[in-house]
């Protein structure tokens, strides 16, 4: 749990009391490679923190998987739309590696918001960071070439190349595996 607290301190400094209540509210869960945190059609009821491992979020369109995000150590992950609205998710969240995560339910988190406003502020800051990443991804997809998107990926997140299958990376970049292979060989 120390990893979680160290990461939280990077977002916002919480009082010892708030950290104590959080430590009592998170539950450690272990998943195997290819397990699902969430499948399309389910309502997401938990926010997760990745202690160790890797996950991906993807949609299925016309039988094709379209990866739209990855999560690694020290990331908070969930299906944000489903988690916030309580509606069924249209995305799947799948483990890419055997992973250890910490989870907290939405109900528990809501009760903590009411009792500890600093926790509410912490989660708001985490949501803001998620939104910024989402907007950066949107801008990259709209205004950069496939080669520029790949170069940005290896500059900003080189660990993805080592830990994620190339098919998922190609999908994430919005290109075919063949285009990814050609791009990689040119670089």
């Amino acid at each position: 749990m120390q990893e979680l607290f160290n990461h939280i301190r990077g977002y916002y400094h919480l009082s010892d009391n708030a950290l104590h209540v959080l430590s009592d509210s998170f539950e450690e869960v272990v998943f195997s490679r290819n397990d699902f945190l969430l499948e399309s059609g389910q309502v997401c009821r938990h926010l997760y923190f990745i202690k160790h491992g890797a996950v991906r979020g993807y949609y299925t369109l016309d039988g094709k998987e379209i990866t739209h995000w990855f999560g690694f150590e020290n990331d908070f992950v969930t299906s944000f739309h489903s988690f916030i609205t309580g509606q069924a998710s249209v995305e799947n969240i799948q483990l890419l590696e055997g992973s250890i995560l910490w989870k907290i339910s939405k109900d528990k988190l809501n009760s903590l918001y009411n009792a500890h406003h600093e926790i509410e502020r912490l989660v708001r800051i985490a949501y803001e960071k998620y939104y910024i990443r989402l907007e950066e991804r949107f801008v990259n997809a709209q205004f950069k070439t496939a080669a520029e998107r790949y170069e940005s990926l290896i500059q900003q997140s080189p660990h993805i190349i080592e830990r994620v299958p190339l098919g998922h990376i190609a999908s994430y970049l919005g290109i075919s595996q063949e285009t990814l292979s050609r791009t990689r060989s040119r670089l």
Side-chain angles (χ1 to χ4, degrees):
M1 177 137 311
Q2 192 58 45
E3 298 91 351
L4 173 59
F5 290 154
N6 289 340
H7 189 69
I8 284 172
R9 285 185 184 104
Y11 281 108
Y12 184 74
H13 183 77
L14 293 177
S15 67
D16 290 341
N17 183 38
L19 284 173
H20 178 72
V21 237
L22 271 179
S23 70
D24 289 343
S25 301
F26 275 90
E27 173 188 349
E28 186 178 82
V29 289
V30 178
F31 292 94
S32 298
R33 182 175 185 253
N34 293 325
D35 283 350
F36 285 87
L37 289 181
L38 181 73
E39 292 184 68
S40 177
Q42 296 175 329
V43 174
C44 186
R45 302 188 193 286
H46 292 90
L47 175 67
Y48 298 89
F49 177 81
I50 303 174
K51 177 181 179 182
H52 174 76
V55 302
R56 73 176 176 125
Y58 72 93
Y59 298 96
T60 303
L61 181 64
D62 298 328
K64 183 178 176 183
E65 295 179 0
I66 301 167
T67 299
H68 67 102
W69 61 266
F70 297 108
F72 298 94
E73 288 80 9
N74 298 321
D75 282 338
F76 285 103
V77 296
T78 192
S79 175
F80 279 98
H81 185 270
S82 178
F83 184 73
I84 291 167
T85 66
Q87 297 175 359
S89 175
V90 294
E91 73 179 312
N92 301 281
I93 302 176
Q94 183 181 34
L95 284 291
L96 295 172
E97 303 172 348
S99 301
I100 301 169
L101 297 93
W102 291 95
K103 74 175 184 176
I104 186 170
S105 73
K106 177 157 187 186
D107 292 339
K108 185 65 174 177
L109 198 53
N110 283 336
S111 69
L112 290 176
Y113 291 163
N114 295 328
H116 303 273
H117 293 290
E118 59 189 312
I119 292 174
E120 184 175 32
R121 181 179 171 101
L122 166 74
V123 174
R124 180 184 53 80
I125 292 168
Y127 284 177
E128 288 171 354
K129 289 184 182 289
Y130 171 79
Y131 175 79
I132 290 167
R133 284 180 34 201
L134 185 64
E135 187 171 305
E136 287 171 349
R137 175 142 164 69
F138 175 76
V139 168
N140 284 341
Q142 295 297 312
F143 302 109
K144 290 187 177 182
T145 66
E148 290 170 332
R149 290 193 303 271
Y150 180 72
E151 285 180 42
S152 291
L153 180 72
I154 59 176
Q155 288 173 2
Q156 295 171 3
S157 306
H159 61 281
I160 289 178
I161 305 302
E162 299 162 3
R163 296 175 69 181
V164 174
L166 290 179
H168 296 329
I169 293 171
S171 173
Y172 175 75
L173 294 173
I175 58 178
S176 68
Q177 266 191 267
E178 295 77 17
T179 301
L180 178 59
S181 293
R182 284 193 302 274
T183 301
R184 287 171 48 106
S185 68
R186 279 185 241 140
L187 300 175

